[in-house]
Amino acid sequence: MSTLNPNQLDAEALYAQLLADVKAGLAGVPDVAIVGIHSGGAWIAERLAADLGLSARCGVLDVSFYRDDYAKKGLPADVKPTNITFDVAAANILLVDDVLYTGRTTRAAINELFDYGRPARIMLAALVDRGERQLPVAADFVARHVAVPKGQALVLKRADDGKFTLTIE
């Protein structure tokens, strides 16, 4: 895992790498649907769906109510509704997040997905994997592995023109 240098994290180049990996990995997979985790994962999922011709089978999850720290942290101010308009049962789901970290958000997303049906398979894609897992979660597709100093967060931002940037906060 490389040490983080934010100047070397070109989010657009990372997205292009992720798109290429996902496109190759999904070749021949039937009944694919893409679900992004609000907010950064949803942005990436929407763009992947458009680039892969799957816009009609793209959904968004907000896992706020499914997090294991919900009672401790409370409800975030920017809760968005989950929007899944396709049948999850028996579908091959590509779950998308921007930054994979502890694995807890992924666990919450999988729990919520099962409320919509039992998928045939769930694959995970992340733009960046920063390691430090607390749960046994691994991405099937990841553009880059990086180390982020403790106490700092890697945040995906989307400009008005849809272009991605990554910042440290």
Side-chain angles (χ1 to χ4, degrees), residues 44-129:
I44 295 167
E46 289 166 359
R47 197 156 149 195
L48 283 170
D51 289 342
L52 297 171
L54 293 169
S55 293
R57 294 188 48 83
C58 183
V60 176
L61 290 175
D62 187 324
V63 300
S64 296
F65 294 109
Y66 288 80
R67 292 195 54 91
D68 59 7
D69 57 0
Y70 170 73
K72 183 177 173 183
K73 286 186 172 181
L75 191 60
D78 63 341
V79 174
K80 304 287 186 214
T82 291
N83 183 19
I84 297 177
T85 59
F86 52 85
D87 190 8
V88 169
N92 286 292
I93 304 289
L94 178 66
L95 182 63
V96 182
D97 204 358
D98 52 355
V99 178
L100 180 56
Y101 183 31
T102 64
R104 292 182 178 281
T105 299
T106 303
R107 184 218 42 90
I110 291 169
N111 284 354
E112 186 171 357
L113 270 175
F114 273 83
D115 283 352
Y116 287 85
R118 186 177 188 276
R121 179 179 179 193
I122 299 174
M123 297 162 281
L124 179 62
L127 194 63
V128 176
D129 182 342

Side-chain angles (χ1 to χ4, degrees), residues 1-4 97-106 124 126-139 142-154:
M1 188 173 306
S2 63
T3 304
L4 180 67
D97 204 358
D98 52 355
V99 178
L100 180 56
Y101 183 31
T102 64
R104 292 182 178 281
T105 299
T106 303
L124 179 62
L127 194 63
V128 176
D129 182 342
R130 63 174 282 181
E132 301 181 51
R133 217 70 79 237
Q134 295 174 355
L135 298 174
V137 172
V142 65
R144 178 109 182 253
H145 295 266
V146 298
V148 177
K150 295 258 188 233
Q152 294 186 332
L154 190 56

Side-chain angles (χ1 to χ4, degrees), residues 9-12 43 47 127 154-159 162-167:
L9 288 178
D10 178 346
E12 285 298 315
W43 299 335
R47 197 156 149 195
L127 194 63
L154 190 56
V155 179
L156 182 70
K157 296 184 178 180
R158 181 176 65 172
K163 300 293 183 191
F164 299 135
T165 57
L166 283 164
T167 61

